[in-house]
Amino acid sequence: MSQWTKRLGEYLKGLEFGERLVRRNPLYYPQAVRTFFWLQEASLEERKAFAQKRLEKVLRAAEQTTYGRAFKGKPFEQWPQLPKERVRGREEEFLTRPKWLTSQGSTGGTAGIPLRLYRSLQSVCYEQATYDYPLLKRGIDPLKARIAILRGDNLKDPSDLEPPFWKFAANGRKLIFSSNHLCAKTVKHYVRALREFAPDVLFAYPTSLESLCLLMQQGDLQLRIPLVIATSEAMSTEARLLAARTLSAEVLHSYGAGERVAFAWSEQPDEYWMFQGYGWGELLPVEEDAETITYEIVGTGFWNLAMPLVRYRMGDLIVLPRGEPVEPVIWGERSFRGVLGRQSDYLISPDGARLMGIDHFPREVDNVLRMQVIQPAPDFVRILVIPAEGFGEANVAQIMQNVQRKLPQSMRVQLEIVDELVRTPTGKTPYVIREFEH
């Protein structure tokens, strides 16, 4: 996909016309909404029958790819589980069509493993229907609602602490905020803008939402937002209850990923339900003790036939009581307490702002095996890179360009080529480590 085509696609998505044409295309979107509403209320037998039929279509598509040809004609159970490392750097082996016929995306991943993703128009529409579901369920029209967004958008230089820290989109119906400018010095401007805009719903990263609420409490600021939907990161029960109290809001939380193979909605704290019709789920036991078993989520997405990923290992974990069957959880008949994702992938600026979107550092960067971000001090960041073959100055330049979009000029950045990443005392290699807090 050319840069011009990519920019055009991003521009269209930001317009009201683009939302209707791309994300809510009439060819796919209405059917997606009907399908999801039906499946959430369907019987177990109906859910399984639908899922089996979709799975067969996914396997037929996957068999057309370079990767999938080796498993042509084999039943689903004989396809190997697919780790992220097998896909990274070899994404074209999983394509069923030319890249220019797809919508291109990418994910840095919470483990610092960059992946390029290619999506069909159908999958874009079904993904939008997934996020529209809780709005439609509450009688809110997503194309008429006033929507505020506090996520990882780059709006201006992170060093510029003069308002505005937001921009309008969709003919004034959306107000998009920069989370990387949110700090004690600026929070009153955010609250004023939100109060004047009076959104029906706020979409936010959990860590950005938590920052907003803590800063509001510190500044004795008041604000009411009816509905808050937190996405793209793990969220603690404490942060969720904090947001509900501070904003007098109903707070929902979702679990998903850029690979789009598994999804869950939570409307109550500590109660998550696998979203039926999104994909074929499996739970792989990886650890157990006397009382619980920890499972890794393995998913096969139903709707992206441009890049079908079969039995994809998410790396995300859920814990169930020992003896509790997994089938009711997979098929949405029983809830689970939540996904063990990373809640700490942010940096802290010298001004005290939580800097979000750090997983964007590896995006669009080729020839990188792993990346890690270390913050020894509020004004100093080390970026550790394990390079792949071909890594060079152009890759360094792309990383630094990504970094400059997220960090203020007051933070010094040092990029280091390394053979291994920094490990915690438990042997883990988290993507972000804020050393000065320990």
Side-chain angles (χ1 to χ4, degrees), residues 168-182:
F168 287 92
N171 296 325
R173 195 175 52 77
K174 288 185 177 181
L175 187 57
I176 303 172
F177 288 87
S178 165
S179 61
N180 285 356
H181 291 86
L182 179 61

Side-chain angles (χ1 to χ4, degrees), residues 39-42 44 47 263 272-277 326-336:
L39 282 171
Q40 307 322 304
E41 303 298 328
L44 177 60
R47 291 177 179 182
F263 196 91
Y272 289 74
W273 299 86
M274 288 295 184
F275 194 62
Q276 297 304 298
V326 300
E327 286 286 308
V329 173
I330 291 171
W331 293 106
E333 293 197 304
R334 184 177 298 173
S335 65
F336 57 98

Side-chain angles (χ1 to χ4, degrees), residues 84-95:
K84 295 183 181 184
E85 292 78 6
R86 174 63 181 83
V87 183
R88 185 188 68 246
R90 291 180 281 186
E91 292 88 343
E92 293 188 17
E93 294 182 18
F94 296 84
L95 287 175

Side-chain angles (χ1 to χ4, degrees), residues 10-68:
E10 292 172 349
Y11 173 72
L12 284 174
K13 288 179 182 179
L15 300 177
E16 193 81 14
F17 170 76
E19 285 202 21
R20 296 178 185 272
L21 178 67
V22 180
R23 298 177 183 174
R24 299 181 178 90
N25 187 285
L27 186 63
Y28 297 115
Y29 177 79
Q31 180 62 42
V33 170
R34 289 192 295 269
T35 297
F36 287 152
F37 267 87
W38 170 65
L39 282 171
Q40 307 322 304
E41 303 298 328
S43 68
L44 177 60
E45 291 72 20
E46 289 172 325
R47 291 177 179 182
K48 287 186 174 182
F50 176 88
Q52 186 63 50
K53 188 174 294 186
R54 284 304 310 177
L55 182 63
E56 291 171 2
K57 290 187 177 182
V58 173
L59 292 181
R60 300 296 82 77
E63 289 174 353
Q64 302 172 27
T65 68
T66 301
Y67 168 81

Side-chain angles (χ1 to χ4, degrees), residues 235-287:
M235 188 178 198
S236 69
T237 301
E238 293 75 17
R240 188 167 179 175
L241 295 175
L242 169 69
R245 291 194 307 269
T246 306
L247 302 176
S248 300
E250 180 184 13
V251 181
L252 311 186
H253 183 235
S254 72
Y255 161 74
E259 296 90 339
R260 298 180 176 175
V261 299
F263 196 91
W265 271 116
S266 171
E267 299 191 7
Q268 299 293 332
D270 301 324
E271 186 178 286
Y272 289 74
W273 299 86
M274 288 295 184
F275 194 62
Q276 297 304 298
Y278 194 90
W280 186 281
E282 300 174 82
L283 294 178
L284 174 68
V286 294
E287 186 176 303

Side-chain angles (χ1 to χ4, degrees), residues 112 114 357-373 381-388 391-407 413-417 431:
I358 307 307
D359 65 322
H360 292 198
F361 288 2
R363 291 195 174 184
E364 308 297 332
V365 181
D366 295 322
N367 308 318
V368 171
L369 291 178
R370 292 290 302 274
M371 184 183 293
Q372 188 178 45
V373 181
V381 173
R382 299 168 59 211
I383 299 178
L384 311 186
V385 175
I386 299 179
F391 184 86
E393 291 301 319
N395 305 128
V396 172
Q398 183 64 59
I399 293 172
M400 297 309 296
Q401 182 179 337
N402 292 348
V403 170
Q404 289 166 8
R405 294 192 183 114
K406 296 297 180 184
L407 304 188
V413 178
Q414 178 175 298
L415 190 146
E416 304 173 23
I417 306 301
Y431 177 54

Side-chain angles (χ1 to χ4, degrees), residues 68-347:
R69 286 176 195 147
F71 314 108
K72 189 170 184 177
K74 292 187 177 181
F76 174 73
E77 295 76 13
Q78 291 184 20
W79 285 64
Q81 291 172 354
L82 179 61
K84 295 183 181 184
E85 292 78 6
R86 174 63 181 83
V87 183
R88 185 188 68 246
R90 291 180 281 186
E91 292 88 343
E92 293 188 17
E93 294 182 18
F94 296 84
L95 287 175
T96 63
R97 63 194 67 174
K99 289 187 289 186
W100 64 271
L101 287 175
T102 70
S103 172
Q104 184 174 334
S106 63
T107 174
T110 54
I113 303 173
L115 288 174
R116 294 187 185 277
L117 302 167
Y118 302 91
R119 297 158 180 155
S120 66
L121 176 59
Q122 183 184 39
S123 74
V124 171
C125 293
Y126 273 77
E127 185 74 7
Q128 188 62 55
T130 301
Y131 282 99
D132 286 351
Y133 173 79
L135 277 67
L136 294 166
K137 182 180 176 182
R138 288 162 176 76
I140 301 173
D141 185 343
L143 285 172
K144 295 180 180 179
R146 296 174 67 78
I147 297 174
I149 299 172
L150 181 63
R151 290 169 54 85
D153 296 276
N154 300 315
L155 303 186
K156 63 178 182 176
D157 187 336
S159 304
D160 183 356
L161 293 182
E162 292 297 320
F165 309 107
W166 51 82
K167 69 175 182 179
F168 287 92
N171 296 325
R173 195 175 52 77
K174 288 185 177 181
L175 187 57
I176 303 172
F177 288 87
S178 165
S179 61
N180 285 356
H181 291 86
L182 179 61
C183 62
K185 296 180 181 178
T186 63
V187 64
K188 62 183 179 181
H189 301 294
Y190 283 75
V191 173
R192 184 182 301 117
L194 282 165
R195 187 179 295 123
E196 293 175 354
F197 182 65
D200 299 304
V201 59
L202 167 65
F203 282 90
Y205 284 160
T207 40
S208 298
L209 178 64
E210 184 180 11
S211 289
L212 173 66
C213 293
L214 289 172
L215 291 168
M216 284 178 59
Q217 284 191 341
Q218 294 168 13
D220 195 24
L221 299 169
Q222 305 296 319
L223 180 65
R224 183 181 184 280
I225 299 175
L227 180 63
V228 174
I229 299 180
T231 65
S232 304
E233 297 174 332
M235 188 178 198
S236 69
T237 301
E238 293 75 17
R240 188 167 179 175
L241 295 175
L242 169 69
R245 291 194 307 269
T246 306
L247 302 176
S248 300
E250 180 184 13
V251 181
L252 311 186
H253 183 235
S254 72
Y255 161 74
E259 296 90 339
R260 298 180 176 175
V261 299
F263 196 91
W265 271 116
S266 171
E267 299 191 7
Q268 299 293 332
D270 301 324
E271 186 178 286
Y272 289 74
W273 299 86
M274 288 295 184
F275 194 62
Q276 297 304 298
Y278 194 90
W280 186 281
E282 300 174 82
L283 294 178
L284 174 68
V286 294
E287 186 176 303
E288 58 184 277
D289 58 29
E291 298 181 351
T292 64
I293 300 179
T294 301
Y295 297 88
E296 181 179 355
I297 298 173
V298 180
T300 302
F302 280 160
W303 304 107
N304 187 15
L305 301 186
M307 187 180 181
L309 299 175
V310 177
R311 306 192 77 188
Y312 186 78
R313 294 185 63 166
M314 296 294 295
D316 297 321
L317 308 173
I318 71 172
V319 178
L320 299 178
R322 176 181 285 277
E324 181 171 318
V326 300
E327 286 286 308
V329 173
I330 291 171
W331 293 106
E333 293 197 304
R334 184 177 298 173
S335 65
F336 57 98
R337 289 182 59 86
V339 177
L340 304 182
R342 301 179 188 271
Q343 304 178 54
S344 57
D345 288 348
Y346 60 87
L347 302 177

